[in-house]
Amino acid sequence: ILLTQSPGTLSLSPGERATLSCRASQSVFSDYLAWYHQKPGQAPRLLIYGASNRATGIPDRFSGSGSGTDFTLVISRLEPEDFGVFYCQQYGHSPFTFGPGTRVDL
Amino acid sequence: QVQLVQSGAEVKKPGSSVNISCRTSGGSFSTYAVSWVRQAPGQGLEWMGRIVPILGVTDYAKMFQGRVTMTADKSTNTAYMELRSLKPEDTAVYFCAREAAVVGSDPWGQGTQVTVSS
């Protein structure tokens, strides 16, 4: 399953809303779609699993939605620590592919 | 709190092999899968495969089949990833992550830098 993410880069200011898109080439089994956030020099961090469930400790400004082939991550009010790259991953069908990422510049 | 701790950076010659370890502490090991993901310099994330320690079952991405072996030692809560016939384009940071069927990959190890150079 190929994943595409848009936009490639988002340039926003703290307090603004960010909307990130992830589209799959075929339906994702059981909506097993995750979002990760990666800062430079760090490992990715799980934000959302199952398309819409926040991982433990993730603030409620992060929300995920979608099903089938179209998924969205919304950051309602950007904080300075939200810069970095956001990846989606489908883990419903092997190989568990990642999208190319959306870079968020603040 | 579950933590995954990986072995240190490696510098390898082309054609050689690398073996990276990933030890789980603070939580269950055998009943979850361990995935391996790599990231070339300035690039995105690439899923390599996974192992389910309690079953000893592996699932490799096609591009690594024949060149990668993932194993697990339940007695030490440690997973291993061996990559053979290394090429300069295998230069990357290699991550392990605990994977649950519903939850995805969480947490992740800190990453291991592998540099392949003559």
Side-chain angles (χ1 to χ4, degrees):
Chain A
I1 297 177
L2 292 177
L3 299 180
T4 56
Q5 292 186 243
S6 60
T9 303
L10 271 176
S11 295
L12 296 168
S13 299
E16 289 192 300
R17 178 186 179 93
T19 302
L20 288 68
S21 174
C22 176
R23 179 163 290 177
S25 60
Q26 59 191 82
S27 187
V28 175
F29 177 77
S30 290
D31 294 334
Y32 282 165
L33 191 286
W35 290 93
Y36 301 88
H37 178 211
Q38 187 181 35
K39 296 180 184 180
Q42 296 185 14
R45 178 190 181 192
L46 177 68
L47 299 174
I48 300 288
Y49 66 91
S52 61
N53 303 285
R54 271 189 300 277
T56 302
I58 301 302
D60 61 7
R61 67 178 183 273
F62 292 94
S63 63
S65 63
S67 66
T69 60
D70 289 300
F71 301 90
T72 301
L73 175 70
V74 172
I75 312 170
S76 59
R77 296 172 310 280
L78 282 164
E79 298 285 343
E81 61 266 28
D82 295 338
F83 74 94
V85 182
F86 292 80
Y87 295 95
C88 58
Q89 182 200 26
Q90 69 80 23
Y91 54 100
H93 187 270
S94 179
F96 295 170
T97 43
F98 288 91
T102 291
R103 179 179 305 277
V104 174
D105 292 332
L106 300 183
Chain B
Q1 182 179 352
V2 179
Q3 285 190 305
L4 276 63
V5 180
Q6 299 183 223
S7 50
E10 303 262 13
V11 179
K12 295 292 182 179
K13 300 284 190 189
S16 67
S17 300
V18 68
N19 199 335
I20 302 169
S21 68
C22 170
R23 181 175 57 83
T24 299
S25 63
S28 176
F29 172 73
S30 296
T31 54
Y32 290 85
V34 175
S35 281
W36 291 89
V37 174
R38 76 176 185 180
Q39 186 170 39
Q43 302 300 307
L45 302 172
E46 181 174 35
W47 187 80
M48 300 179 67
R50 61 178 180 152
I51 181 168
V52 182
I54 197 171
L55 300 174
V57 171
T58 55
D59 178 18
Y60 302 142
K62 191 168 291 185
M63 73 169 289
F64 298 103
Q65 285 179 1
R67 213 160 63 93
V68 71
T69 300
M70 296 175 188
T71 57
D73 183 344
K74 295 189 291 292
S75 69
T76 60
N77 289 353
T78 302
Y80 299 89
M81 190 282 296
E82 180 190 37
L83 188 62
R84 299 178 293 278
S85 302
L86 290 169
K87 301 168 260 191
E89 49 267 40
D90 291 318
T91 294
V93 177
Y94 289 76
F95 296 100
C96 62
R98 191 176 78 165
E99 181 201 299
V102 175
V103 181
S105 295
D106 180 60
W108 293 57
Q110 82 277 19
T112 296
Q113 173 70 52
V114 175
T115 303
V116 183
S117 173
S118 55

